[in-house]
Amino acid sequence: QVQIVESGGGSAQAGGSLRLSCGASNPTYAVDCMSWFHQAPGKEREAVAYIDDERNEIRYLESVKGRFTISQENDKKVLYLQMNNLKPEDSGVYYCRCLFASRWVDWGRGTQVTVTS
């Protein structure tokens, strides 16, 4: 069974940076990871960044534009989220979303980000 693993979270001060990564726990699976979601405490999970290399399309939630950058490895198996100029409201758990055999893989456990002012 394909499982998604996110990493790179941690604690940072406001204005700092973190780089998140995600991919399949077994790297032999040909997943296509294409979006990052953020779930703040007590709130719904929301998409913050999306990339579709085939369509040459990248989209960001308005609140992270200019601060976050989404990117993929060439084989699309690993997805990154470079987060700069972090704000306390960026705190929460970050998840990535991946396709495998044209179906969405179940959510991983996410990676916790805590930003202090």
Side-chain angles (χ1 to χ4, degrees):
Q1 184 177 357
V2 181
Q3 292 181 322
I4 300 302
V5 179
E6 298 92 346
S7 63
S11 298
Q13 289 189 328
S17 299
L18 288 171
R19 189 189 193 209
L20 308 183
S21 303
C22 82
S25 57
N26 183 339
T28 63
Y29 284 116
V31 296
D32 182 358
C33 297
M34 58 179 57
S35 54
W36 283 98
F37 287 73
H38 169 230
Q39 186 164 20
K43 294 190 177 181
E44 296 288 321
R45 195 173 302 181
E46 64 178 349
V48 296
Y50 167 83
I51 184 169
D52 186 338
D53 188 57
E54 293 183 1
R55 295 188 175 90
N56 196 27
E57 182 178 359
I58 294 178
R59 296 198 300 263
Y60 296 99
L61 186 69
E62 192 63 33
S63 60
V64 308
K65 281 183 181 178
R67 301 188 299 117
F68 290 9
T69 302
I70 189 172
S71 61
Q72 287 174 317
E73 291 285 351
N74 287 339
D75 61 8
K76 303 180 184 180
K77 291 183 180 181
V78 182
L79 187 69
Y80 301 102
L81 185 68
Q82 178 66 43
M83 305 189 297
N84 297 329
N85 191 20
L86 284 163
K87 301 178 179 181
E89 52 263 41
D90 297 324
S91 296
V93 183
Y94 285 78
Y95 303 86
C96 77
R97 199 73 164 141
C98 305
L99 283 169
F100 178 69
S102 300
R103 302 183 71 172
W104 292 113
V105 182
D106 289 342
W107 295 102
R109 294 184 176 182
T111 186
Q112 175 72 45
V113 170
T114 302
V115 183
T116 55
S117 57

